[in-house]
Amino acid sequence: MNRKYTGFVPLSLSELDTLTQELSRLLGTQHPPVIIPGEAIIGIEAVAAGIAAPGRTILNIVTGPYGSLFGEWLERGGATVAQVKVPFDQVVTVEEVAAAIERYQPVALSFVQAEVVTGGSNPAEEIFKLARRHHLITVTDSVSAVGGEALNVDEWEVDFAVIGAQKALAGPNGVSAVSISPRGWAFLESNERAPRNSILSLLDIKPSPDGTAPLRVPPNIPVLEARALIEALEAVAEEGLSQVIKRHERAAASAIAGISELGLEAWQKDSRHYSTLTTTVRINDEQLLLIKQPMGIVAPGDGELFGQLLRINHFGTNASRDSVESAVQTLARLLKQDAGQAVQAVRQVWSDAE
Ligand SMILES: *Cc1c(COP(=O)(O)O)cnc(C)c1O
């Protein structure tokens, strides 16, 4: 080894500008999102810490484990947490949310847009419309929705949307972003309890209110991760966001076609609300219990869902015909079935789409 170390090039203002613009374009917002120096879960915790306060009732919709965690963080911040929780093999309905708003009269509402753990996707656009009619501040964990389904931040008037790139966008997991509306900033600023001088502080990293570009690159942005995120976002822009979403829809449709051919069924109950990133498969055969660790993109259920379902993680680069075919072959092998028909069913969905 005689390679000479040539030093490390800091992130430039122009790279930061590109990153911010790509994020704004991805989310359909004219308000520059803040860049979170870490995994998306930090952005989610930062939002909870920033909005929670005694005297604020927040309606937290729980359709999977991330929603439960968000509720705990809101409680830690002193908020009164009203919860709508549904069995994890279902998503929430707009009627349930409407009834909870009437009952608890919250000032804000939070939910996970799409759940990779359960394979469900909530009726996001309708929930935002409903929330807007009641003038509620809205928070969405869209880490597993962005790139897999629509997320139109300004059009839907979303106040806080947390995203990461490690799922549908095939990007790094070490940097993430939160899009915050002017109303959202005001909601943070009016909260005495909102963190300052903390890794959880969104106010510490607020862009200038008059929209002028930053004069220097915030020193907390992880440089390599930021560069990788720019690359991932440019790749998404090049393929076209709507095409990326379509690819995920096809992956999901083909996974369903393949498992049906094997005599398996989806764990999520309502086929109108499947996540496009993962297909969860009901375990109705002892052979499937044998999966204790991921085999390719087939993985056992997380936590309490272990033993109930298997996940087919067809997101990012694995939102592809080849990956879904391999997953179906893995399942066929475990079931000691011939994979031929199921693979054919997967291929059919992709070729119909072409
Ligand atoms: C993946 C994911 C996250 C982020 O979790 P990490 O541990 O940062 O990968 C948050 N929310 C949802 C709904 C997710 O699917």
Side-chain angles (χ1 to χ4, degrees), residues 96-315:
E96 286 169 314
V97 179
I101 292 172
E102 290 303 329
R103 177 157 172 215
Y104 300 112
Q105 302 288 314
V107 292
L109 170 157
S110 52
F111 70 107
V112 171
Q113 187 177 350
E115 302 269 7
V116 286
V117 178
T118 72
S121 169
N122 285 302
E125 186 174 1
E126 286 93 333
I127 293 174
F128 289 121
K129 274 197 191 130
L130 173 69
R132 189 51 66 235
R133 283 205 294 280
H134 292 268
H135 310 291
L136 305 185
I137 291 285
T138 50
V139 178
T140 172
D141 169 351
S142 295
V143 178
S144 292
V146 67
E149 56 184 81
L151 170 58
N152 302 317
V153 165
D154 285 0
E155 186 191 327
W156 296 353
E157 298 182 57
V158 183
D159 294 309
F160 295 88
V162 185
I163 63 150
Q166 70 266 43
K167 302 273 173 61
L169 304 179
N173 68 349
V175 65
S176 49
V178 184
S179 150
I180 306 177
S181 73
R183 264 166 49 95
W185 283 114
F187 198 60
L188 292 172
E189 271 155 3
S190 63
N191 182 11
E192 276 174 17
R193 299 275 291 259
R196 285 281 192 183
N197 304 317
S198 156
I199 187 72
L200 294 180
S201 178
L202 294 167
L203 292 171
D204 285 354
I205 53 177
K206 185 179 178 192
S208 83
D210 59 6
T212 52
L215 297 175
R216 62 173 194 139
V217 176
N220 66 351
I221 297 182
V223 177
L224 299 181
E225 303 282 349
R227 284 202 180 111
L229 181 54
I230 291 171
E231 276 189 37
L233 295 175
E234 286 180 342
V236 166
E238 196 177 329
E239 183 179 352
L241 177 60
S242 64
Q243 187 55 39
V244 173
I245 293 173
K246 277 199 193 114
R247 186 159 51 74
H248 283 84
E249 288 170 352
R250 271 163 212 165
S254 68
I256 292 288
I259 66 163
S260 305
E261 204 58 59
L262 295 173
L264 299 170
E265 58 181 6
W267 187 73
Q268 268 295 317
K269 290 207 165 123
D270 187 342
S271 62
R272 291 166 307 172
H273 293 287
Y274 290 158
S275 143
T276 61
L277 270 67
T278 55
T279 296
T280 47
V281 183
R282 191 168 294 277
I283 293 183
N284 52 11
D285 185 299
E286 290 203 344
Q287 300 305 317
L288 298 186
L289 280 172
L290 297 176
I291 298 195
K292 300 274 195 280
Q293 64 187 67
M295 298 174 69
I297 63 167
V298 179
D302 288 336
E304 65 189 277
L305 301 181
F306 183 86
Q308 288 194 48
L309 60 83
L310 294 179
R311 278 168 56 169
I312 307 177
N313 294 316
H314 43 66
F315 56 78

Side-chain angles (χ1 to χ4, degrees), residues 4-186:
K4 189 165 172 290
Y5 180 62
T6 52
F8 187 84
V9 182
L11 199 70
S12 69
L13 264 179
S14 113
E15 284 175 302
L16 177 65
D17 186 47
T18 302
L19 178 53
T20 309
Q21 283 185 23
E22 290 288 348
L23 285 169
S24 299
R25 171 152 80 147
L26 177 78
L27 299 174
T29 178
Q30 57 167 323
H31 307 293
V34 292
I35 293 160
I36 301 291
E39 213 182 9
I41 204 78
I42 299 177
I44 297 167
E45 187 172 354
V47 173
I51 64 171
R56 285 183 173 180
T57 299
I58 300 178
L59 180 63
N60 185 46
I61 298 164
V62 179
T63 53
Y66 287 107
S68 305
L69 200 53
F70 194 78
E72 286 167 27
W73 287 329
L74 290 174
E75 267 171 8
R76 184 184 63 190
T80 302
V81 181
Q83 184 173 276
V84 177
K85 184 173 180 177
V86 302
F88 290 173
D89 56 2
Q90 294 169 36
V91 297
V92 78
T93 65
V94 181
E95 292 72 28
E96 286 169 314
V97 179
I101 292 172
E102 290 303 329
R103 177 157 172 215
Y104 300 112
Q105 302 288 314
V107 292
L109 170 157
S110 52
F111 70 107
V112 171
Q113 187 177 350
E115 302 269 7
V116 286
V117 178
T118 72
S121 169
N122 285 302
E125 186 174 1
E126 286 93 333
I127 293 174
F128 289 121
K129 274 197 191 130
L130 173 69
R132 189 51 66 235
R133 283 205 294 280
H134 292 268
H135 310 291
L136 305 185
I137 291 285
T138 50
V139 178
T140 172
D141 169 351
S142 295
V143 178
S144 292
V146 67
E149 56 184 81
L151 170 58
N152 302 317
V153 165
D154 285 0
E155 186 191 327
W156 296 353
E157 298 182 57
V158 183
D159 294 309
F160 295 88
V162 185
I163 63 150
Q166 70 266 43
K167 302 273 173 61
L169 304 179
N173 68 349
V175 65
S176 49
V178 184
S179 150
I180 306 177
S181 73
R183 264 166 49 95
W185 283 114

